[in-house]
Amino acid sequence: QVQLVESGGGLVQAGGSLRLSCAASGRTFSSYAMAWFRQAPGKEREFVSTISIGGGNTNYADSVKGRFTISRDNAKNTVYLQMNSLKPEDTAVYYCAARRVARSMSYQDYDFWGQGTQVTVSS
């Protein structure tokens, strides 16, 4: 069982930056692939980024590639999402998710979710 708590969301102007954090409970964090998803009002939840259990492999949605960076610190049971050059279309609730071992870009494959953190980018 993993409990996830996101933080770091907020209101930022277009072109600005935010860093999201997701703190995980439990002693087996390093056994979980981690991911970030987001959901804007009236839209389906969409994949943003995922990172392997060791942190050496990552994937990004095309819409955020080159602007967002996912990382993890297994000693701190935390995964991060550094978001640069933010755009109004990045506005959404951002969710952290975990699944055993293997990465996936499909939200249906994830077993554990945080409560979400709101990111709002003004133009």
Side-chain angles (χ1 to χ4, degrees), residues 2 11 17 21 24 52 80:
V2 177
L11 173 64
S17 298
S21 298
S52 60
Y80 304 97

Side-chain angles (χ1 to χ4, degrees), residues 30-50:
S30 59
S31 299
Y32 289 84
M34 301 297 297
W36 289 94
F37 290 81
R38 66 187 182 186
Q39 189 166 17
K43 295 188 177 181
E44 290 192 355
R45 191 166 299 192
E46 66 171 352
F47 168 76
V48 174
S49 182
T50 185

Side-chain angles (χ1 to χ4, degrees), residues 26-76:
R27 291 173 287 181
T28 59
F29 176 74
S30 59
S31 299
Y32 289 84
M34 301 297 297
W36 289 94
F37 290 81
R38 66 187 182 186
Q39 189 166 17
K43 295 188 177 181
E44 290 192 355
R45 191 166 299 192
E46 66 171 352
F47 168 76
V48 174
S49 182
T50 185
I51 189 166
S52 60
I53 58 176
N57 293 292
T58 58
N59 294 93
Y60 296 93
D62 287 343
S63 59
V64 307
K65 203 171 291 183
R67 300 187 297 121
F68 290 10
T69 302
I70 191 171
S71 61
R72 66 189 295 162
D73 185 337
N74 286 346
K76 295 183 178 180

Side-chain angles (χ1 to χ4, degrees), residues 77-107:
N77 282 13
T78 302
V79 63
Y80 304 97
L81 185 69
Q82 178 66 45
M83 305 186 295
N84 298 329
S85 302
L86 282 161
K87 304 175 181 180
E89 52 263 44
D90 295 318
T91 295
V93 177
Y94 283 71
Y95 296 92
C96 172
R99 74 185 299 261
R100 293 282 290 178
V101 185
R103 291 171 295 152
S104 172
M105 292 185 282
S106 174
Y107 73 84

